[in-house]
Amino acid sequence: MDRMHILITGGAGYIGSVLTPMLLEQGFQVTVLDNLMFRQFTLANCCYYEGFRFVLGDVRNRKTVEDLLRQADCIIPLAALVGAPLCDRDPDSAVAINQDAISMLCRLASPDQRILVPITNSGYGVGEEGNHCTEESPLRPVSLYGRTKMAAESEVLARGNSISFRFATIFGMSSRMRLDLLVNDFVYRAYRDRAVVVFEGHFKRNYLHIRDACRAFLHGIANFEAMKGRAYNAGLEDANLSKLELCARIKVYFPEFTCLEAPIGKDPDQRNYIVSNARILATGFQPEWGLDRGILELKKGYSLLPASAFSNI
């Protein structure tokens, strides 16, 4: 049997730069479509693999996508403007890339082509205190980013033959690093500045290491028939933490780190919820990276990074 051919849009981004080589190592053929908007050179090592192909292009270009779909068995659409600040800065592009391009992909893909889409659990917006958000909880996104991703998920699941992963806030090292993600940001500030000012420190989120996010895709491919047609929260069961609780965990590894809560002002991202990941755990998926292991990885990684911004904002 021929090797499965996977098309990844946005495959040179934060997640894709980890996922692409992971898929190639597993023997898949992988085509990456990316516009390299951050001028990154993160997939150079993938050229070693005969099954790797890179296409410089835009996910909004119908002909480009149509041509690439002809060879694909499975599509992982990572291309997106990620995060509330970036989407607010360019709302038209956010809708066009995060939502409209996914809609076009669903129309162009044949019914037998599989789609595994990364969404976000930010769609839960503000949860009910003490109650875990499950995949059946109301979706109340509080940002344009959340709204575009929820709309994309709806279209993907409606077509059938698809899986949606509602990822927790991702952390961890990538060759296309992002410092604006909460854990990455706080650890970077602990490493560089020894201090951080936190707005609304009681706000809670769930977290997931980037390598476990990539492993979720591999798990979905391997168990596709049993998992298809549903959304899955994907995060750490022991990491539904407030910002202040996260700071306390980081301080264990950076004793001089000081976390100050601002008495006034608001976080522009008003998410506040705790999440249950029971559904994906019931399929046999288990994260391998805990928060503490990830903090140590980031501490090591930041010793390699220049003091410059790797950010989506």
Side-chain angles (χ1 to χ4, degrees):
M1 182 179 176
D2 292 338
R3 291 181 296 168
M4 180 181 286
H5 192 145
I6 300 176
L7 170 63
I8 309 178
T9 68
Y14 176 63
I15 295 177
S17 296
V18 177
L19 177 61
T20 300
M22 195 178 288
L23 289 167
L24 290 164
E25 287 166 12
Q26 293 291 318
F28 294 102
Q29 295 186 69
V30 180
T31 296
V32 167
L33 171 65
D34 201 294
N35 65 1
L36 301 181
M37 68 181 288
F38 298 103
R39 300 181 181 177
Q40 67 269 42
F41 195 59
T42 56
L43 299 180
N45 288 346
C46 293
C47 297
Y48 162 81
Y49 294 94
E50 289 184 8
F52 173 66
R53 178 190 177 198
F54 178 81
V55 176
L56 179 64
D58 196 308
V59 73
R60 293 166 288 188
N61 186 303
R62 180 188 176 100
K63 185 177 188 310
T64 298
V65 173
E66 208 166 22
D67 289 345
L68 294 178
L69 280 175
R70 293 192 181 98
Q71 302 298 319
D73 302 302
C74 177
I75 306 107
I76 301 178
L78 297 181
L81 295 191
V82 179
L86 184 61
C87 289
D88 290 344
R89 193 175 73 187
D90 190 355
D92 291 341
S93 293
V95 173
I97 297 170
N98 296 2
Q99 184 175 334
D100 295 345
I102 297 291
S103 179
M104 179 180 72
L105 184 66
C106 288
R107 292 194 305 270
L108 294 177
S110 67
D112 61 332
Q113 287 178 308
R114 300 173 173 184
I115 298 179
L116 292 85
V117 65
I119 304 296
T120 168
N121 65 21
S122 68
Y124 297 124
V126 179
E128 298 174 1
E129 188 172 353
N131 290 331
H132 286 75
C133 294
T134 72
E135 292 83 356
E136 308 306 322
S137 298
L139 296 173
R140 297 179 287 225
V142 294
S143 66
L144 175 63
Y145 171 62
R147 291 191 295 274
T148 59
K149 295 298 279 184
M150 290 300 101
E153 179 187 73
S154 179
E155 292 224 29
V156 169
L157 292 180
R159 73 177 285 274
N161 217 35
S162 302
I163 296 172
S164 168
F165 294 109
R166 295 180 182 172
F167 286 129
T169 297
I170 295 177
F171 64 94
M173 291 300 299
S174 167
S175 53
R176 212 312 273 176
M177 194 56 188
R178 283 183 58 193
L179 299 186
D180 54 301
L181 294 164
L182 200 63
V183 179
N184 293 357
D185 177 26
F186 282 13
V187 175
Y188 186 77
R189 292 174 190 272
Y191 181 83
R192 292 286 180 190
D193 306 328
R194 300 292 188 264
V196 67
V197 176
V198 173
F199 294 92
E200 296 172 312
H202 62 286
F203 278 12
K204 289 194 172 187
R205 294 192 202 175
N206 196 220
Y207 303 96
L208 182 71
H209 192 274
I210 187 171
R211 291 194 173 272
D212 282 327
C214 294
R215 288 180 58 250
F217 285 114
L218 286 166
H219 181 75
I221 292 169
N223 298 277
F224 188 83
E225 289 302 319
M227 292 178 64
K228 68 180 180 181
R230 305 184 88 185
Y232 296 85
N233 292 336
L236 294 169
E237 284 290 89
D238 62 352
N240 281 300
L241 302 177
S242 71
K243 296 176 189 176
L244 294 178
E245 289 169 334
L246 173 60
C247 286
R249 293 281 285 272
I250 294 170
K251 188 174 176 64
V252 171
Y253 304 98
F254 297 88
E256 298 178 5
F257 180 47
T258 299
C259 178
L260 302 173
E261 187 169 16
I264 58 173
K266 287 187 174 183
D267 186 337
D269 189 339
Q270 288 289 295
R271 284 181 285 159
N272 180 25
Y273 47 76
I274 56 177
V275 174
S276 168
N277 303 292
R279 178 180 286 181
I280 195 169
L281 295 175
T283 70
F285 178 78
Q286 283 288 341
E288 293 181 349
W289 285 75
L291 185 60
D292 295 273
R293 185 184 178 190
I295 292 170
L296 287 170
E297 180 206 29
L298 288 165
K299 184 177 183 180
K300 186 189 302 183
Y302 289 154
S303 69
L304 299 170
L305 288 183
S308 59
F310 288 79
S311 153
N312 272 16
I313 56 175

